[in-house]
Amino acid sequence: MHFSETFSRMLLYTAAIVSMACVMAVFAFLVYFAWPVLAGGEWKDLLSLNWRPFQAHYGILPMILGSMYLTVLAMLVACPLAAGVCLFCSGLGPGPAAGAVKALVRFMSGIPTVVYGFVAAFTLVPFLRSHFSGSTGYCLLAAGLILGFLILPTIVLIGLSALERVDQELSLTCSALGLSRVQSLIHVIFPAAWPGLLAAVLLGFARAVGDTLIALMLAGNAPQLPGSLFDSIRTLTAHIALVVATDSQSQAYRSVFAAGCLLFFIAAAVNITVFRVRQKFGGLSRDG
Amino acid sequence: MFRRITFVFLCLCTAVFSLQPVWAGSSGLSAFDGLSGRLTIAGGTAHIPVMKQAARQIMRHNPDIAITVAGGGSGVGVQKVGAGLVDIGNTGRALSDEERDKFGLKSYAFAVDGVGLAVHPDNPLNNLSKDQVKGIFAGEIGSWKQVGGADRQINLYTRDEASGTRSVFWKKALDKDPVAVEANVIQSNGAMKVAISRDPDAIGYLSIGHMDDSVSGVAIDGVSPTRENAKDGSYPVVRKLYMNTKGEPGKLARAFIDYLQGPRGGQIVSENGFIPGGQ
């Protein structure tokens, strides 16, 4: 008994150490390859608005801003929808409908990204092109809408589990105070679940920043600053996908590692924030 | 997983073709008699149909030889062959001096491919002067009206930085003039064809081997992008397809390269929409 416990503990430690080592190795690898760019003063080139690799301009600022715009737009699409769906599923909607919506969201989370991209390329893109003059349809708006739908299940499912946890602890108290289901949800449970909801939003954000295929298929990939929702943009992830097959000795290729480093830092920052939020406020509802 | 699929695929191919009567005869395949072992190929995606067809014929002729073909793109082809991970790395462009020097690579061209300008089939435009083409891709000509068409905006489509297709179009059709930064960037020949075929105001460029009725080819200075024109040299926007080896190729790789550069290989190249030759 004692032996098997030691054994399984060792096994788990090994698994944890291996995964940690992998993450650190990825980071070390990125830094090692990005170092010549960062140390050689080339990073000043990278922080320009001009990506014209054949005229020796290697600015990735349009891609950084493109990623930011797209992510913010996707969050603007996804968060209100997610809040509505969460409330609907946890008590505002009638039971059977809520169950059906929940099942639908679970199903959505299993749809491969490429299916969203493909369907949108054949429906949403021509729609935007024919209804808004001056746009090719491959634009910030198309990618933002679809990316919003893509991250919706992530936010809803994590948000729902946060609501359910709080609900279990507080619903009796709410009933005792004479609050209706709707009142207790909106005034007590939803506000009390905020750390979990914030974590859900942040994880949705991380998924949106990291997604490659939607941007690659729908955003148009033009390395420019968008002047409107209908302009073509390129994200950091799409940039890596487009440039990684170039001549590996070129400076364009090295910019890929800078983009990779940046994405790694964003992912790390989001995850650390989620961790801190959970650590600091995770016990709040239990204590209160 | 992928390796297993490749293996099963190869087994199936071998099974199917061993049932057919042997008609290959004395068609350059005799060079593979007595050879055995593995040949690994990766890189340029335009090459894949040609490589696969050649590999099938060779493996059918001599079951002691196993040839695997993978994609990845020209850049991947260079890196893999440079690192010694594959025997032959394919590229749809000539190697840069840095690539050749760093890895000690040798290049073997075996086919020529044209890159043509294309618009939506509903667009009546069929000819542009070179200056008009440059103007359109630089973003200076923004309306079809300026080149004799309807009063509608021109939607520009270009290819990614790693594309061999882009590289040749930029050098030989645009004379290295810049491409407007607003142009949408498409990541493959197939996706370019789809994009143009679904946008009535589109203009873009793609491999002649990929052109079909879903897009309409546009002549530059009166010369249409057709295989015939690319073959007789009148159409100038052409590129070579290369196989690359690290140093001198091994026996099997040598035989494979000779086969593709020979008459039977030329036939395979033609069947796949490219023009044989280029050595």
Short mmCIF file of all heavy atoms in Angstrom, two decimals, chain B residues 159-218:
data_model
loop_
_atom_site.label_atom_id
_atom_site.label_comp_id
_atom_site.label_asym_id
_atom_site.label_seq_id
_atom_site.Cartn_x
_atom_site.Cartn_y
_atom_site.Cartn_z
N ARG B 159 0.21 36.35 -52.79
CA ARG B 159 0.60 35.14 -52.05
C ARG B 159 1.54 35.48 -50.90
O ARG B 159 2.08 36.57 -50.83
CB ARG B 159 1.25 34.12 -53.00
CG ARG B 159 0.25 33.39 -53.89
CD ARG B 159 -0.58 32.36 -53.13
NE ARG B 159 0.24 31.45 -52.34
CZ ARG B 159 0.86 30.39 -52.84
NH1 ARG B 159 0.74 30.07 -54.10
NH2 ARG B 159 1.61 29.62 -52.04
N ASP B 160 1.75 34.52 -50.01
CA ASP B 160 2.57 34.73 -48.82
C ASP B 160 4.05 34.85 -49.17
O ASP B 160 4.49 34.53 -50.27
CB ASP B 160 2.36 33.56 -47.86
CG ASP B 160 2.61 32.24 -48.54
OD1 ASP B 160 1.70 31.74 -49.21
OD2 ASP B 160 3.74 31.72 -48.43
N GLU B 161 4.82 35.31 -48.18
CA GLU B 161 6.25 35.59 -48.37
C GLU B 161 7.05 34.35 -48.76
O GLU B 161 8.09 34.45 -49.39
CB GLU B 161 6.84 36.18 -47.08
CG GLU B 161 6.41 37.59 -46.75
CD GLU B 161 5.00 37.66 -46.17
OE1 GLU B 161 4.35 36.62 -46.01
OE2 GLU B 161 4.54 38.78 -45.91
N ALA B 162 6.58 33.17 -48.36
CA ALA B 162 7.35 31.95 -48.60
C ALA B 162 7.03 31.33 -49.96
O ALA B 162 7.64 30.34 -50.35
CB ALA B 162 7.07 30.93 -47.50
N SER B 163 6.08 31.90 -50.68
CA SER B 163 5.58 31.26 -51.89
C SER B 163 6.56 31.39 -53.06
O SER B 163 7.02 32.49 -53.38
CB SER B 163 4.24 31.90 -52.26
OG SER B 163 3.95 31.67 -53.60
N GLY B 164 6.86 30.28 -53.70
CA GLY B 164 7.67 30.30 -54.90
C GLY B 164 6.90 30.95 -56.04
O GLY B 164 7.48 31.63 -56.90
N THR B 165 5.58 30.76 -56.04
CA THR B 165 4.72 31.37 -57.05
C THR B 165 4.80 32.90 -56.98
O THR B 165 4.93 33.58 -57.99
CB THR B 165 3.26 30.91 -56.83
OG1 THR B 165 3.24 29.50 -56.70
CG2 THR B 165 2.37 31.33 -57.97
N ARG B 166 4.72 33.41 -55.73
CA ARG B 166 4.83 34.86 -55.55
C ARG B 166 6.19 35.37 -56.01
O ARG B 166 6.30 36.38 -56.71
CB ARG B 166 4.64 35.24 -54.08
CG ARG B 166 4.67 36.74 -53.83
CD ARG B 166 5.13 37.10 -52.44
NE ARG B 166 6.41 36.49 -52.12
CZ ARG B 166 7.58 36.89 -52.60
NH1 ARG B 166 7.65 37.94 -53.39
NH2 ARG B 166 8.69 36.26 -52.30
N SER B 167 7.21 34.61 -55.63
CA SER B 167 8.57 35.02 -55.94
C SER B 167 8.76 35.23 -57.45
O SER B 167 9.30 36.24 -57.89
CB SER B 167 9.52 33.98 -55.38
OG SER B 167 10.78 34.14 -55.91
N VAL B 168 8.28 34.27 -58.27
CA VAL B 168 8.50 34.39 -59.70
C VAL B 168 7.61 35.47 -60.31
O VAL B 168 8.02 36.22 -61.20
CB VAL B 168 8.32 33.04 -60.43
CG1 VAL B 168 6.91 32.52 -60.32
CG2 VAL B 168 8.66 33.19 -61.91
N PHE B 169 6.38 35.60 -59.81
CA PHE B 169 5.48 36.62 -60.36
C PHE B 169 6.04 38.01 -60.07
O PHE B 169 6.02 38.90 -60.92
CB PHE B 169 4.08 36.47 -59.74
CG PHE B 169 3.06 37.36 -60.38
CD1 PHE B 169 2.46 36.99 -61.57
CD2 PHE B 169 2.71 38.57 -59.80
CE1 PHE B 169 1.52 37.82 -62.18
CE2 PHE B 169 1.78 39.41 -60.40
CZ PHE B 169 1.18 39.03 -61.59
N TRP B 170 6.55 38.17 -58.85
CA TRP B 170 7.09 39.46 -58.43
C TRP B 170 8.32 39.83 -59.26
O TRP B 170 8.48 40.96 -59.70
CB TRP B 170 7.44 39.37 -56.94
CG TRP B 170 8.03 40.59 -56.34
CD1 TRP B 170 7.46 41.82 -56.25
CD2 TRP B 170 9.32 40.70 -55.73
NE1 TRP B 170 8.31 42.69 -55.62
CE2 TRP B 170 9.45 42.03 -55.30
CE3 TRP B 170 10.36 39.80 -55.51
CZ2 TRP B 170 10.60 42.50 -54.64
CZ3 TRP B 170 11.50 40.25 -54.85
CH2 TRP B 170 11.61 41.58 -54.43
N LYS B 171 9.18 38.84 -59.51
CA LYS B 171 10.40 39.12 -60.26
C LYS B 171 10.11 39.36 -61.74
O LYS B 171 10.62 40.29 -62.34
CB LYS B 171 11.37 37.93 -60.14
CG LYS B 171 12.25 38.02 -58.92
CD LYS B 171 13.24 36.87 -58.88
CE LYS B 171 13.70 36.62 -57.45
NZ LYS B 171 13.90 35.20 -57.17
N LYS B 172 9.28 38.48 -62.34
CA LYS B 172 9.19 38.50 -63.80
C LYS B 172 7.98 39.24 -64.34
O LYS B 172 8.01 39.70 -65.48
CB LYS B 172 9.19 37.07 -64.32
CG LYS B 172 10.51 36.37 -63.98
CD LYS B 172 10.65 35.04 -64.65
CE LYS B 172 12.02 34.45 -64.36
NZ LYS B 172 12.09 33.05 -64.77
N ALA B 173 6.91 39.35 -63.57
CA ALA B 173 5.75 40.11 -64.06
C ALA B 173 5.75 41.52 -63.51
O ALA B 173 5.35 42.46 -64.19
CB ALA B 173 4.45 39.40 -63.69
N LEU B 174 6.21 41.69 -62.27
CA LEU B 174 6.18 43.03 -61.66
C LEU B 174 7.56 43.68 -61.65
O LEU B 174 7.70 44.81 -61.17
CB LEU B 174 5.66 42.93 -60.21
CG LEU B 174 4.27 42.32 -60.01
CD1 LEU B 174 3.91 42.28 -58.54
CD2 LEU B 174 3.23 43.13 -60.77
N ASP B 175 8.57 43.00 -62.18
CA ASP B 175 9.94 43.52 -62.17
C ASP B 175 10.34 44.02 -60.78
O ASP B 175 10.97 45.07 -60.63
CB ASP B 175 10.10 44.65 -63.19
CG ASP B 175 9.83 44.18 -64.61
OD1 ASP B 175 10.05 42.98 -64.87
OD2 ASP B 175 9.39 44.99 -65.43
N LYS B 176 9.96 43.27 -59.76
CA LYS B 176 10.29 43.57 -58.36
C LYS B 176 9.70 44.88 -57.86
O LYS B 176 10.17 45.44 -56.87
CB LYS B 176 11.81 43.56 -58.13
CG LYS B 176 12.46 42.22 -58.44
CD LYS B 176 13.84 42.14 -57.85
CE LYS B 176 14.46 40.78 -58.14
NZ LYS B 176 15.75 40.60 -57.50
N ASP B 177 8.68 45.40 -58.54
CA ASP B 177 7.97 46.57 -58.02
C ASP B 177 7.16 46.12 -56.80
O ASP B 177 6.72 44.98 -56.74
CB ASP B 177 7.04 47.15 -59.09
CG ASP B 177 7.82 48.02 -60.06
OD1 ASP B 177 9.04 48.09 -59.92
OD2 ASP B 177 7.19 48.61 -60.96
N PRO B 178 6.94 47.05 -55.86
CA PRO B 178 6.22 46.64 -54.64
C PRO B 178 4.77 46.26 -54.90
O PRO B 178 4.14 46.77 -55.82
CB PRO B 178 6.30 47.88 -53.75
CG PRO B 178 6.62 49.01 -54.66
CD PRO B 178 7.38 48.44 -55.81
N VAL B 179 4.27 45.37 -54.04
CA VAL B 179 2.86 45.01 -54.07
C VAL B 179 2.16 45.79 -52.94
O VAL B 179 2.70 45.91 -51.85
CB VAL B 179 2.68 43.49 -53.83
CG1 VAL B 179 1.21 43.13 -53.66
CG2 VAL B 179 3.28 42.71 -54.99
N ALA B 180 0.98 46.34 -53.27
CA ALA B 180 0.25 47.15 -52.29
C ALA B 180 0.05 46.38 -51.00
O ALA B 180 -0.24 45.18 -51.01
CB ALA B 180 -1.10 47.57 -52.86
N VAL B 181 0.19 47.07 -49.88
CA VAL B 181 0.13 46.42 -48.58
C VAL B 181 -1.31 46.01 -48.24
O VAL B 181 -1.53 45.12 -47.43
CB VAL B 181 0.77 47.34 -47.51
CG1 VAL B 181 -0.17 48.48 -47.15
CG2 VAL B 181 1.18 46.55 -46.28
N GLU B 182 -2.31 46.63 -48.93
CA GLU B 182 -3.70 46.26 -48.65
C GLU B 182 -4.09 44.92 -49.26
O GLU B 182 -5.15 44.39 -48.96
CB GLU B 182 -4.71 47.25 -49.22
CG GLU B 182 -4.50 48.71 -49.05
CD GLU B 182 -3.54 49.28 -50.06
OE1 GLU B 182 -3.87 49.50 -51.22
OE2 GLU B 182 -2.38 49.48 -49.62
N ALA B 183 -3.27 44.38 -50.16
CA ALA B 183 -3.65 43.16 -50.86
C ALA B 183 -3.88 42.02 -49.89
O ALA B 183 -3.11 41.84 -48.94
CB ALA B 183 -2.56 42.77 -51.85
N ASN B 184 -4.93 41.24 -50.10
CA ASN B 184 -5.15 40.05 -49.28
C ASN B 184 -4.08 39.02 -49.58
O ASN B 184 -3.69 38.85 -50.74
CB ASN B 184 -6.52 39.46 -49.57
CG ASN B 184 -7.63 40.26 -48.93
OD1 ASN B 184 -7.43 40.90 -47.90
ND2 ASN B 184 -8.80 40.24 -49.53
N VAL B 185 -3.62 38.34 -48.54
CA VAL B 185 -2.56 37.35 -48.70
C VAL B 185 -3.15 35.95 -48.59
O VAL B 185 -3.76 35.61 -47.58
CB VAL B 185 -1.45 37.55 -47.65
CG1 VAL B 185 -0.37 36.50 -47.83
CG2 VAL B 185 -0.87 38.95 -47.75
N ILE B 186 -2.98 35.15 -49.62
CA ILE B 186 -3.54 33.80 -49.68
C ILE B 186 -2.39 32.81 -49.55
O ILE B 186 -1.29 33.08 -50.03
CB ILE B 186 -4.26 33.59 -51.03
CG1 ILE B 186 -5.25 34.71 -51.29
CG2 ILE B 186 -4.91 32.22 -51.10
CD1 ILE B 186 -6.51 34.62 -50.51
N GLN B 187 -2.65 31.66 -48.87
CA GLN B 187 -1.51 30.81 -48.52
C GLN B 187 -1.27 29.60 -49.42
O GLN B 187 -0.37 28.82 -49.14
CB GLN B 187 -1.58 30.40 -47.06
CG GLN B 187 -2.74 29.50 -46.68
CD GLN B 187 -4.03 30.25 -46.42
OE1 GLN B 187 -4.24 31.35 -46.91
NE2 GLN B 187 -4.92 29.65 -45.67
N SER B 188 -2.05 29.42 -50.49
CA SER B 188 -1.72 28.32 -51.41
C SER B 188 -2.33 28.58 -52.77
O SER B 188 -3.22 29.41 -52.92
CB SER B 188 -2.23 26.98 -50.87
OG SER B 188 -3.64 26.93 -50.99
N ASN B 189 -1.84 27.84 -53.77
CA ASN B 189 -2.40 27.97 -55.12
C ASN B 189 -3.87 27.59 -55.14
O ASN B 189 -4.68 28.25 -55.80
CB ASN B 189 -1.63 27.07 -56.09
CG ASN B 189 -0.42 27.75 -56.68
OD1 ASN B 189 -0.53 28.84 -57.23
ND2 ASN B 189 0.74 27.13 -56.54
N GLY B 190 -4.22 26.52 -54.43
CA GLY B 190 -5.61 26.07 -54.41
C GLY B 190 -6.52 27.13 -53.81
O GLY B 190 -7.59 27.44 -54.35
N ALA B 191 -6.09 27.72 -52.67
CA ALA B 191 -6.90 28.74 -52.00
C ALA B 191 -7.02 29.98 -52.88
O ALA B 191 -8.04 30.67 -52.87
CB ALA B 191 -6.29 29.09 -50.65
N MET B 192 -5.97 30.28 -53.65
CA MET B 192 -6.01 31.43 -54.55
C MET B 192 -7.08 31.22 -55.62
O MET B 192 -7.87 32.12 -55.93
CB MET B 192 -4.63 31.62 -55.21
CG MET B 192 -4.57 32.76 -56.21
SD MET B 192 -4.84 34.37 -55.43
CE MET B 192 -3.17 34.87 -55.06
N LYS B 193 -7.14 30.02 -56.16
CA LYS B 193 -8.14 29.71 -57.18
C LYS B 193 -9.54 29.89 -56.61
O LYS B 193 -10.41 30.50 -57.26
CB LYS B 193 -7.94 28.27 -57.68
CG LYS B 193 -8.79 27.93 -58.88
CD LYS B 193 -8.39 26.62 -59.50
CE LYS B 193 -8.88 25.45 -58.67
NZ LYS B 193 -8.48 24.16 -59.25
N VAL B 194 -9.76 29.40 -55.39
CA VAL B 194 -11.07 29.53 -54.75
C VAL B 194 -11.41 31.01 -54.52
O VAL B 194 -12.51 31.47 -54.83
CB VAL B 194 -11.11 28.76 -53.42
CG1 VAL B 194 -12.38 29.08 -52.65
CG2 VAL B 194 -10.99 27.27 -53.67
N ALA B 195 -10.43 31.77 -54.02
CA ALA B 195 -10.67 33.18 -53.73
C ALA B 195 -11.07 33.93 -55.00
O ALA B 195 -12.03 34.71 -55.00
CB ALA B 195 -9.44 33.81 -53.09
N ILE B 196 -10.34 33.71 -56.09
CA ILE B 196 -10.63 34.42 -57.34
C ILE B 196 -11.97 33.97 -57.91
O ILE B 196 -12.78 34.77 -58.38
CB ILE B 196 -9.50 34.20 -58.38
CG1 ILE B 196 -8.20 34.81 -57.86
CG2 ILE B 196 -9.87 34.83 -59.72
CD1 ILE B 196 -7.01 34.51 -58.73
N SER B 197 -12.25 32.67 -57.84
CA SER B 197 -13.47 32.15 -58.45
C SER B 197 -14.72 32.62 -57.71
O SER B 197 -15.82 32.54 -58.25
CB SER B 197 -13.44 30.63 -58.51
OG SER B 197 -13.51 30.11 -57.20
N ARG B 198 -14.56 33.10 -56.46
CA ARG B 198 -15.74 33.52 -55.70
C ARG B 198 -15.88 35.03 -55.58
O ARG B 198 -16.83 35.51 -54.99
CB ARG B 198 -15.71 32.89 -54.30
CG ARG B 198 -15.79 31.38 -54.35
CD ARG B 198 -16.07 30.79 -53.00
NE ARG B 198 -17.31 31.27 -52.44
CZ ARG B 198 -18.50 30.72 -52.69
NH1 ARG B 198 -18.60 29.70 -53.49
NH2 ARG B 198 -19.57 31.23 -52.13
N ASP B 199 -14.91 35.79 -56.11
CA ASP B 199 -14.97 37.24 -56.00
C ASP B 199 -14.98 37.86 -57.40
O ASP B 199 -13.96 37.86 -58.09
CB ASP B 199 -13.76 37.73 -55.20
CG ASP B 199 -13.78 39.23 -55.00
OD1 ASP B 199 -14.64 39.91 -55.61
OD2 ASP B 199 -12.94 39.73 -54.22
N PRO B 200 -16.12 38.42 -57.85
CA PRO B 200 -16.23 38.95 -59.21
C PRO B 200 -15.24 40.09 -59.49
O PRO B 200 -14.95 40.36 -60.65
CB PRO B 200 -17.66 39.49 -59.27
CG PRO B 200 -18.38 38.86 -58.14
CD PRO B 200 -17.37 38.54 -57.09
N ASP B 201 -14.73 40.74 -58.44
CA ASP B 201 -13.82 41.87 -58.65
C ASP B 201 -12.36 41.50 -58.35
O ASP B 201 -11.52 42.38 -58.19
CB ASP B 201 -14.24 43.05 -57.77
CG ASP B 201 -15.63 43.53 -58.14
OD1 ASP B 201 -15.93 43.57 -59.34
OD2 ASP B 201 -16.41 43.85 -57.22
N ALA B 202 -12.09 40.22 -58.30
CA ALA B 202 -10.75 39.79 -57.88
C ALA B 202 -9.75 39.82 -59.02
O ALA B 202 -10.11 39.66 -60.19
CB ALA B 202 -10.82 38.37 -57.33
N ILE B 203 -8.48 40.04 -58.66
CA ILE B 203 -7.38 39.72 -59.57
C ILE B 203 -6.27 39.11 -58.72
O ILE B 203 -6.01 39.57 -57.60
CB ILE B 203 -6.90 40.95 -60.38
CG1 ILE B 203 -5.93 40.51 -61.46
CG2 ILE B 203 -6.28 42.01 -59.47
CD1 ILE B 203 -5.68 41.56 -62.52
N GLY B 204 -5.66 38.06 -59.24
CA GLY B 204 -4.58 37.40 -58.51
C GLY B 204 -3.74 36.60 -59.50
O GLY B 204 -3.92 36.72 -60.71
N TYR B 205 -2.82 35.80 -58.98
CA TYR B 205 -1.97 35.01 -59.88
C TYR B 205 -1.79 33.61 -59.29
O TYR B 205 -1.80 33.44 -58.08
CB TYR B 205 -0.61 35.68 -60.07
CG TYR B 205 0.08 36.06 -58.79
CD1 TYR B 205 0.89 35.15 -58.12
CD2 TYR B 205 -0.10 37.31 -58.21
CE1 TYR B 205 1.51 35.47 -56.94
CE2 TYR B 205 0.51 37.65 -57.02
CZ TYR B 205 1.32 36.73 -56.40
OH TYR B 205 1.93 37.06 -55.21
N LEU B 206 -1.67 32.63 -60.17
CA LEU B 206 -1.48 31.26 -59.71
C LEU B 206 -0.77 30.41 -60.76
O LEU B 206 -0.66 30.82 -61.92
CB LEU B 206 -2.81 30.62 -59.30
CG LEU B 206 -3.86 30.31 -60.36
CD1 LEU B 206 -4.86 29.33 -59.82
CD2 LEU B 206 -4.60 31.56 -60.77
N SER B 207 -0.31 29.26 -60.29
CA SER B 207 0.40 28.34 -61.17
C SER B 207 -0.50 27.94 -62.33
O SER B 207 -1.68 27.66 -62.15
CB SER B 207 0.78 27.11 -60.34
OG SER B 207 0.95 26.00 -61.18
N ILE B 208 0.05 27.92 -63.55
CA ILE B 208 -0.75 27.56 -64.73
C ILE B 208 -1.30 26.15 -64.57
O ILE B 208 -2.41 25.85 -65.01
CB ILE B 208 0.10 27.70 -66.00
CG1 ILE B 208 0.37 29.19 -66.28
CG2 ILE B 208 -0.58 27.07 -67.20
CD1 ILE B 208 1.26 29.46 -67.47
N GLY B 209 -0.53 25.28 -63.92
CA GLY B 209 -1.00 23.92 -63.67
C GLY B 209 -2.29 23.87 -62.86
O GLY B 209 -3.03 22.92 -62.92
N HIS B 210 -2.56 24.91 -62.08
CA HIS B 210 -3.76 24.95 -61.23
C HIS B 210 -4.94 25.63 -61.91
O HIS B 210 -6.04 25.63 -61.39
CB HIS B 210 -3.47 25.70 -59.93
CG HIS B 210 -2.83 24.84 -58.89
ND1 HIS B 210 -1.50 24.56 -58.90
CD2 HIS B 210 -3.36 24.17 -57.83
CE1 HIS B 210 -1.22 23.78 -57.87
NE2 HIS B 210 -2.32 23.52 -57.22
N MET B 211 -4.71 26.27 -63.06
CA MET B 211 -5.80 27.04 -63.69
C MET B 211 -6.82 26.10 -64.33
O MET B 211 -6.47 25.12 -64.96
CB MET B 211 -5.23 27.96 -64.78
CG MET B 211 -4.61 29.21 -64.23
SD MET B 211 -4.39 30.38 -65.56
CE MET B 211 -3.54 31.68 -64.72
N ASP B 212 -8.13 26.42 -64.15
CA ASP B 212 -9.17 25.69 -64.86
C ASP B 212 -10.32 26.65 -65.17
O ASP B 212 -10.14 27.87 -65.14
CB ASP B 212 -9.63 24.49 -64.02
CG ASP B 212 -10.13 24.91 -62.65
OD1 ASP B 212 -10.55 26.07 -62.50
OD2 ASP B 212 -10.09 24.08 -61.72
N ASP B 213 -11.51 26.12 -65.45
CA ASP B 213 -12.62 26.97 -65.89
C ASP B 213 -13.16 27.89 -64.80
O ASP B 213 -13.92 28.81 -65.09
CB ASP B 213 -13.78 26.09 -66.38
CG ASP B 213 -13.39 25.34 -67.63
OD1 ASP B 213 -12.41 25.77 -68.26
OD2 ASP B 213 -14.06 24.35 -67.97
N SER B 214 -12.80 27.64 -63.54
CA SER B 214 -13.35 28.46 -62.46
C SER B 214 -12.70 29.84 -62.40
O SER B 214 -13.18 30.72 -61.70
CB SER B 214 -13.21 27.75 -61.11
OG SER B 214 -11.85 27.63 -60.77
N VAL B 215 -11.58 30.01 -63.10
CA VAL B 215 -10.96 31.34 -63.19
C VAL B 215 -10.65 31.62 -64.66
O VAL B 215 -10.63 30.72 -65.49
CB VAL B 215 -9.64 31.44 -62.38
CG1 VAL B 215 -9.92 31.22 -60.91
CG2 VAL B 215 -8.60 30.46 -62.88
N SER B 216 -10.45 32.91 -64.97
CA SER B 216 -10.17 33.27 -66.35
C SER B 216 -8.77 33.88 -66.44
O SER B 216 -8.48 34.86 -65.76
CB SER B 216 -11.26 34.26 -66.79
OG SER B 216 -10.82 35.06 -67.84
N GLY B 217 -7.91 33.28 -67.25
CA GLY B 217 -6.54 33.75 -67.38
C GLY B 217 -6.48 35.07 -68.12
O GLY B 217 -7.28 35.33 -69.01
N VAL B 218 -5.54 35.95 -67.73
CA VAL B 218 -5.41 37.26 -68.38
C VAL B 218 -4.04 37.33 -69.04
O VAL B 218 -3.02 37.04 -68.41
CB VAL B 218 -5.55 38.39 -67.34
CG1 VAL B 218 -5.31 39.74 -68.00
CG2 VAL B 218 -6.91 38.34 -66.68
#
